């Protein structure tokens, strides 16, 4: 089964006074890469979110956006360092007595960051965690569904390209013997003109045999067809196939390049150009497969 690395999933879940909106977007990437954006109070959930997504998403760049709404997501409490405050009071009193300062002390004299601070604590962590993870799970299911649909479309396109390659391979099989025959005819004509009709049949046959050996593309066509059949079989495998498909395209390109280097015919050269174009399009599609 072909699964695309491109997709989008969205889910909104509510529980008691909290609600979570999760949006997940994925694009192609060589490996697995996560970018998670969420409120600071949820940072401790990052590993759990990655683990949950990793159950169904194995490759691609995954962007996750989490928004949480609800009352009292965080509570604030005043924290007082009473020990330090007592010492502070004693020293101020001594200073006033020592220097005969009549001004009385007020509360404002003690409102200092080192004495009094406001501490923010998360509220309802368990409820928030449940609602966020539930939204993550549903959004990832939607994402996977879309990735499978995209994968099915990619598979259709790739099979069309495979059919085109098969047709061109058959055409090349028909052209290959004709190239040798045409070379023999040209060689015979040239030698006949040069030697004024006195032909050396043995020499002609030797030259034709050498040419046929150098221009023989049957082995490359056989390997190209084998790679193509492997590619088609791999499309049906129920696992991650993107890297294997990419490798097979590289191997097919290698055979086509060899055929091109052996080509001594304009029609074969034209077929090689079309095969390269087809393989390039396939490669672009495969880059999006998990």
């Amino acid at each position: 089964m072909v699964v695309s690395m491109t997709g989008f999933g969205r889910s909104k879940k509510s529980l008691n006074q909290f609600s979570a909106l999760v949006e997940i977007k994925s694009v192609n990437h060589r490996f697995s890469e996560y970018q998670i954006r969420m409120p600071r109070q949820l940072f401790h959930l990052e590993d759990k979110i990655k683990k949950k997504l990793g159950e169904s998403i194995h490759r691609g760049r995954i962007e996750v956006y989490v928004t949480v709404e609800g009352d009292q997501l965080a509570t604030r409490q005043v924290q007082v360092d009473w020990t330090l405050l007592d010492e502070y009071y004693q020293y101020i009193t001594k200073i006033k007595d020592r220097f005969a300062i009549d001004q009385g002390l007020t509360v404002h004299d003690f409102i200092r960051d080192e004495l009094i601070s406001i501490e923010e604590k998360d509220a309802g962590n368990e409820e928030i965690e449940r609602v966020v993870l539930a939204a993550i799970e549903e959004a990832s299911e939607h994402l996977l569904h879309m990735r499978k649909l995209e994968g099915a479309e990619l598979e259709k396109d790739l099979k069309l390209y495979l059919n085109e390659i098969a047709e061109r391979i058959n055409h090349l099989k028909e052209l290959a013997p004709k190239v040798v025959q045409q070379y023999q005819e040209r060689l015979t004509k040239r030698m006949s003109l040069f030697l004024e009709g006195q032909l050396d049949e043995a020499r002609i046959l030797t030259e034709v045999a050498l040419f046929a050996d150098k221009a023989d593309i049957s082995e490359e066509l056989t390997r190209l067809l084998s790679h193509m059949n492997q590619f088609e079989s791999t499309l049906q495998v129920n696992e991650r196939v993107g890297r294997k498909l990419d490798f097979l395209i590289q191997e097919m390109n290698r055979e086509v390049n060899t055929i091109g280097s052996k080509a001594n015919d304009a029609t074969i050269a034209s077929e090689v150009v079309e095969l390269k174009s087809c393989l390039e399009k396939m490669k672009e599609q495969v880059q999006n497969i998990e």
Side-chain angles (χ1 to χ4, degrees):
M1 177 184 293
V2 173
V3 178
S4 171
M5 284 188 281
T6 303
F8 177 80
R10 185 179 187 273
S11 174
K12 186 171 184 178
K13 292 289 185 179
S14 299
L15 180 64
N16 297 330
Q17 76 251 32
F18 299 113
S19 66
L21 173 64
V22 172
E23 294 180 330
I24 308 175
K25 180 177 71 173
S26 68
V27 294
N28 62 317
H29 194 275
R30 291 184 62 190
F31 308 104
S32 292
E33 181 178 291
Y34 293 93
Q35 184 178 49
I36 302 176
R37 297 179 179 176
M38 56 187 173
R40 182 191 58 77
Q41 294 93 337
L42 302 178
F43 283 176
H44 66 284
L45 292 180
E46 184 170 333
D47 289 339
K48 290 185 178 180
I49 291 174
K50 289 181 180 180
K51 184 177 180 180
K52 176 65 68 175
L53 294 174
E55 294 174 359
S56 57
I57 302 170
H58 308 286
R59 188 173 169 222
R61 176 181 171 83
I62 317 300
E63 298 179 7
V64 183
Y65 302 90
V66 180
T67 304
V68 178
E69 296 179 350
D71 297 331
Q72 297 181 343
L73 290 178
T75 60
R76 293 184 175 184
Q77 296 179 344
V78 176
Q79 299 294 324
V80 181
D81 189 336
W82 292 105
T83 301
L84 184 60
L85 186 60
D86 288 340
E87 292 184 11
Y88 188 77
Y89 175 79
Q90 293 174 12
Y91 275 104
I92 290 182
T93 303
K94 288 180 180 179
I95 291 172
K96 290 175 65 67
D97 292 342
R98 180 165 184 162
F99 296 101
I101 299 175
D102 294 332
Q103 184 179 353
L105 294 174
T106 66
V107 174
H108 295 288
D109 294 322
F110 300 95
I111 299 179
R112 299 176 180 273
D113 292 340
E114 62 271 19
L115 300 176
I116 300 175
S117 61
I118 298 176
E119 185 177 285
E120 188 175 89
K121 292 185 177 180
D122 298 338
N125 279 342
E126 293 183 1
E127 287 190 0
I128 294 175
E129 181 174 331
R130 284 200 298 272
V131 74
V132 168
L133 293 180
I136 287 287
E137 183 172 3
E138 185 172 82
S140 64
E141 291 174 356
H142 295 165
L143 172 68
L144 181 60
H145 178 68
M146 183 173 179
R147 282 162 65 108
K148 287 181 178 179
L149 291 177
E150 291 285 335
E153 294 300 318
L154 290 174
E155 184 176 344
K156 289 179 183 178
D157 286 346
L158 289 171
K159 286 183 176 179
L160 290 176
Y161 291 132
L162 288 176
N163 291 336
E164 181 179 343
I165 291 175
E167 291 176 1
R168 296 193 182 281
I169 289 176
N170 290 332
H171 191 204
L172 287 171
K173 286 181 177 180
E174 295 174 358
L175 289 173
K178 296 179 181 179
V179 172
V180 177
Q181 182 182 351
Q182 291 169 359
Y183 176 76
Q184 183 174 357
E185 292 173 355
R186 291 196 304 270
L187 183 61
T188 301
K189 184 177 181 180
R190 289 176 183 174
M191 290 188 69
S192 177
L193 291 173
F194 183 72
L195 299 174
E196 298 179 351
Q198 299 179 0
L199 299 177
D200 186 344
E201 295 290 342
R203 183 177 178 185
I204 290 176
L205 291 175
T206 300
E207 290 293 332
V208 171
L210 290 173
F211 175 83
D213 183 60
K214 291 180 180 179
D216 183 21
I217 59 174
S218 59
E219 187 176 343
E220 286 76 19
L221 289 175
T222 299
R223 285 198 295 265
L224 179 58
L225 185 60
S226 174
H227 294 326
M228 190 193 74
N229 290 334
Q230 289 183 59
F231 191 99
E232 189 170 14
S233 299
T234 302
L235 290 176
Q236 311 306 319
V237 177
N238 191 23
E239 59 184 42
R240 300 185 294 278
V241 297
R243 287 192 174 92
K244 184 175 181 180
L245 294 177
D246 186 59
F247 170 76
L248 288 171
I249 288 179
Q250 291 180 36
E251 293 302 303
M252 285 191 278
N253 258 315
R254 193 192 310 277
E255 302 303 334
V256 170
N257 286 332
T258 304
I259 292 172
S261 66
K262 289 184 173 183
N264 283 277
D265 179 79
T267 308
I268 290 180
S270 176
E271 286 293 329
V272 167
V273 171
E274 294 300 325
L275 281 171
K276 286 185 176 181
S277 175
C278 187
L279 288 171
E280 185 63 29
K281 293 174 184 176
M282 290 177 68
K283 184 177 181 180
E284 290 177 3
Q285 298 287 49
V286 166
Q287 298 302 314
N288 292 315
I289 295 177
E290 186 177 63

